[in-house]
């Protein structure tokens, strides 16, 4: 039996891992799906989808006014199923199962990405680590933007690698669509393709005329797909250009509280009006005042918070808001830090592989962005599959050295020359 298992190909093992992890998640949804509800943002997104279907108006929090505080991808995703299933527990369970399948496809894309950057063995181990990393199960179970965003970021990185290998107009169009999809899910990713372009120019990976043509195609698709959203925002805002969303005050404000925002109960005591735009303006003003006051009165403390403190919270906090199948948070924390420690080690060991820079620029971009605003585990969890990829590289390097002490090299990759 063991010989038969060992004789299986890497892709056969991939199929087994994806199948087993998917079935276990679906069983968990069918048995305990009712327990995966926060009663906050998830319910608000479902209510947003209902109002949108019934009244044709995209709202959030305030059902009487159109919103500019969220992008429409998740409400649209919910509305598609709501139109046929209706509201209630059946809808929520269907969404959870569909999200399970979406994350499974994202794991398949992770395998393809890992194979391109390193090799199949590293990619397979990354899939195994991610498939049984319980915060990724919550990504499937909680009806929030995370499942869509995990898939969107995977598609964006996958098409970016495809564009490097085969810079055709078709691949450029696919990259543009992946870019649009990711932005409609979570706008914070909007500027990363610009950094990818700078890397391509630095590497001289694509002849500049072809790069300019592909860039034009991707940009035109991006603009055309975002144009309806811009027009809609212009109309509902009374003539203002809002490229993505208006909301920024609350995340900026919450990020001014060192080492964790106040409790929800305390936040509910803050002055609030019935107009979300006024609240956002108030939060932005107060946040700037708190930052100015903090750096004036406690400069070292706030400097620490806006550097090492937020960095540590961004990567060190664990997205485990609800217990999965009653499992305690302790083993989840241990696995999280196992992936982080080996992940950073793998980044260092693979530093001569220029595609390592592609992902570390993504890490740096998202980290710095949320160090300005709110550093939160919910924003880190979509990056953990890529961190698992580097962890797998380090783990297999360590394993190879143990079984072959005289080995001096690292695991091979298709793109292992320095940037």
């Amino acid at each position: 039996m063991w010989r038969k298992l060992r004789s299986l190909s890497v892709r056969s093992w991939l199929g087994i891992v994806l199948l087993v992890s998917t079935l276990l998640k679906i069983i968990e949804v069918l048995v305990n799906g009712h327990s995966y509800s926060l009663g906050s943002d998830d319910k608000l997104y479902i209510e947003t989808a209902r109002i949108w279907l019934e009244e044709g108006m995209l709202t959030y929090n305030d059902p009487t006014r159109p919103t500019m505080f969220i992008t429409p991808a998740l409400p649209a995703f919910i509305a598609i199923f709501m139109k046929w299933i209706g509201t209630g527990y059946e809808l929520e369970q269907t969404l959870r199962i569909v999200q399970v399948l979406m994350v499974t496809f994202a794991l398949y894309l992770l395998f393809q990405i890992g194979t391109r950057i390193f090799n199949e063995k590293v990619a397979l181990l990354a899939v195994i680590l991610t498939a049984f990393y319980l915060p990724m199960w919550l990504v499937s179970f909680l009806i929030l933007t995370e499942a869509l965003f995990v898939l969107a970021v995977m598609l964006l990185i996958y098409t970016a690698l495809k564009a490097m290998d085969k810079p055709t107009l078709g691949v450029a169009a696919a990259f543009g669509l992946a870019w649009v999809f990711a932005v409609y899910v979570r706008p914070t990713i909007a500027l990363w393709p610009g950094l990818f372009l700078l890397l391509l120019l630095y590497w001289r990976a694509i002849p500049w005329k072809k790069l300019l043509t592909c860039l034009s195609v991707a940009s035109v698709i991006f603009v055309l797909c975002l144009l309806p959203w811009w027009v809609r925002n212009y109309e509902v805002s009374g003539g203002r250009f809002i490229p993505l969303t208006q909301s920024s005050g609350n995340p900026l404000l919450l990020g001014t509280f060192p080492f964790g925002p106040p409790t929800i109960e305390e936040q509910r005591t803050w002055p609030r009006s019935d107009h979300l735009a006024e609240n956002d303006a108030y939060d932005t003003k107060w946040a700037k005042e708190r930052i100015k006051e903090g750096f004036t009165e406690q400069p070292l403390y706030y400097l620490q918070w806006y550097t090492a403190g937020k960095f540590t919270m961004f990567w060190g906090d664990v997205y485990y808001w609800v217990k999965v199948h009653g499992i305690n948070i302790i083993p989840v924390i241990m696995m999280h830090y196992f992936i982080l420690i080996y992940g950073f080690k793998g980044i260092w060991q693979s530093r001569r592989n220029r595609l390592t820079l592609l992902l570390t620029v993504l890490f740096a971009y998202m980290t710095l962005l949320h160090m300005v605003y709110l550093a939160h585990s919910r924003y880190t969890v979509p990056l953990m599959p890529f961190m698992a990829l580097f962890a797998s590289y380090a783990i297999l390097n360590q394993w190879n050295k143990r079984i072959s002490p005289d080995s001096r090299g690292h695991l091979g990759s298709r793109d292992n020359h320095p940037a």
Side-chain angles (χ1 to χ4, degrees):
M1 180 65 180
W2 176 242
R3 289 182 179 179
K4 290 182 179 180
L5 291 175
R6 289 188 62 182
S7 66
L8 291 176
S9 66
V10 170
R11 290 182 178 266
S12 296
W13 276 111
L14 173 68
I16 292 171
V17 171
L18 293 182
L19 179 61
V20 170
S21 62
T22 301
L23 289 177
L24 288 175
K25 289 177 185 176
I26 291 176
I27 291 171
E28 178 64 16
V29 168
L30 295 176
V31 175
N32 296 312
H34 61 278
S35 63
Y36 297 104
S37 177
L38 299 175
S40 55
D41 285 358
D42 49 353
K43 295 298 183 183
L44 287 173
Y45 278 118
I46 292 173
E47 181 66 7
T48 291
R50 184 192 66 78
I51 295 173
W52 197 2
L53 277 178
E54 294 179 358
E55 302 180 16
M57 181 170 62
L58 181 64
T59 67
Y60 192 73
N61 272 327
D62 183 354
T64 65
R65 294 187 179 98
T67 186
M68 294 163 286
F69 287 80
I70 62 169
T71 43
L74 180 58
F77 169 71
I78 296 171
I80 290 171
F81 294 93
M82 185 179 290
K83 184 177 178 63
W84 300 105
I85 299 172
T87 59
Y89 187 62
E90 291 78 10
L91 170 67
E92 296 177 16
Q93 287 290 79
T94 301
L95 292 172
R96 291 184 182 105
I97 291 174
V98 172
Q99 287 186 162
V100 167
L101 298 177
M102 287 165 46
V103 171
T104 297
F105 182 60
L107 291 179
Y108 173 75
L109 292 176
L110 176 64
F111 177 81
Q112 297 295 329
I113 292 167
T115 300
R116 171 63 183 87
I117 296 176
F118 296 116
N119 57 51
E120 287 190 341
K121 289 183 179 180
V122 172
L124 175 62
L125 182 55
V127 170
I128 293 171
L129 289 176
T130 308
F132 297 100
Y133 174 63
L134 290 184
M136 288 301 296
W137 288 46
L138 280 188
V139 165
S140 299
F141 299 161
L142 295 177
I143 303 171
L144 299 169
T145 56
E146 275 65 46
L148 279 173
F149 193 61
V150 167
L151 177 59
V153 173
M154 286 293 173
L155 286 169
L156 189 62
I157 298 298
Y158 177 78
T159 53
L161 292 173
K162 283 291 183 183
M164 291 181 62
D165 291 340
K166 193 177 181 182
T168 64
L169 297 184
V171 175
F175 179 79
L177 290 173
W179 184 14
V180 170
F181 176 38
V183 168
Y184 266 128
V185 177
R186 192 173 283 175
T188 49
I189 196 66
L191 298 180
W192 180 82
L195 300 177
F196 173 56
L197 172 63
L198 293 178
L199 286 177
L200 292 179
L201 291 172
Y202 173 60
W203 291 331
R204 299 179 182 178
I206 302 173
W208 73 269
K209 287 185 178 180
K210 182 172 286 189
L211 178 61
L212 182 61
T213 302
C214 292
L215 173 64
S216 300
V217 170
S219 299
V220 167
I221 287 177
F222 181 80
V223 170
L224 290 177
C225 291
L226 265 292
L227 189 59
W229 182 246
W230 294 340
V231 172
R232 180 262 182 196
N233 285 348
Y234 185 84
E235 291 176 348
V236 302
S237 67
R240 286 181 296 148
F241 176 64
I242 300 175
L244 299 173
T245 60
Q246 184 179 1
S247 176
S248 63
N250 189 254
L252 183 65
L253 175 59
L254 293 178
T256 65
F257 291 88
F259 303 100
T263 63
I264 298 297
E265 290 72 19
E266 183 177 343
Q267 293 177 41
R268 287 171 179 165
T269 66
W270 294 349
R272 282 291 182 266
S273 69
D274 294 332
H275 202 289
L276 296 181
E278 293 177 359
N279 292 336
D280 186 66
Y282 169 78
D283 288 346
T284 302
K285 180 182 178 181
W286 189 23
K288 291 178 180 178
E289 291 173 355
R290 283 184 54 82
I291 292 172
K292 182 179 179 180
E293 180 182 331
F295 276 99
T296 301
E297 298 182 359
Q298 298 176 288
L300 293 179
Y301 184 58
Y302 267 76
L303 180 62
Q304 179 192 32
W305 168 235
Y306 274 88
T307 52
K310 284 200 175 188
F311 181 88
T312 302
M313 181 161 285
F314 184 73
W315 286 104
D317 194 16
V318 181
Y319 183 71
Y320 199 62
W321 297 352
V322 181
K323 289 183 180 180
V324 174
H325 203 67
I327 296 175
N328 191 279
I329 194 173
I330 299 301
V332 181
I333 292 175
M334 291 174 64
M335 185 172 185
H336 178 83
Y337 279 92
F338 175 83
I339 292 174
L340 280 188
I341 292 169
Y342 274 95
F344 285 120
K345 183 178 180 180
I347 290 172
W348 174 253
Q349 289 180 349
S350 65
R351 64 191 181 278
R352 293 186 179 278
N353 179 346
R354 70 179 181 182
L355 295 183
T356 293
L357 185 58
L358 179 72
L359 292 182
T360 51
V361 164
L362 175 64
F363 292 159
Y365 168 72
M366 297 298 287
T367 303
L368 290 173
L369 183 67
H370 289 289
M371 284 172 66
V372 173
Y373 291 93
L374 178 63
H376 204 295
S377 61
R378 183 176 169 185
Y379 306 130
T380 315
V381 70
L383 302 177
M384 289 304 291
F386 299 117
M387 189 60 75
L389 188 60
F390 289 113
S392 300
Y393 181 78
I395 291 167
L396 290 180
N397 266 328
Q398 183 172 314
W399 174 257
N400 286 342
K401 287 180 180 179
R402 284 186 177 181
I403 62 175
S404 181
D406 295 332
S407 175
R408 296 182 180 181
H410 291 305
L411 291 167
S413 69
R414 290 177 53 197
D415 211 331
N416 57 9
H417 49 82

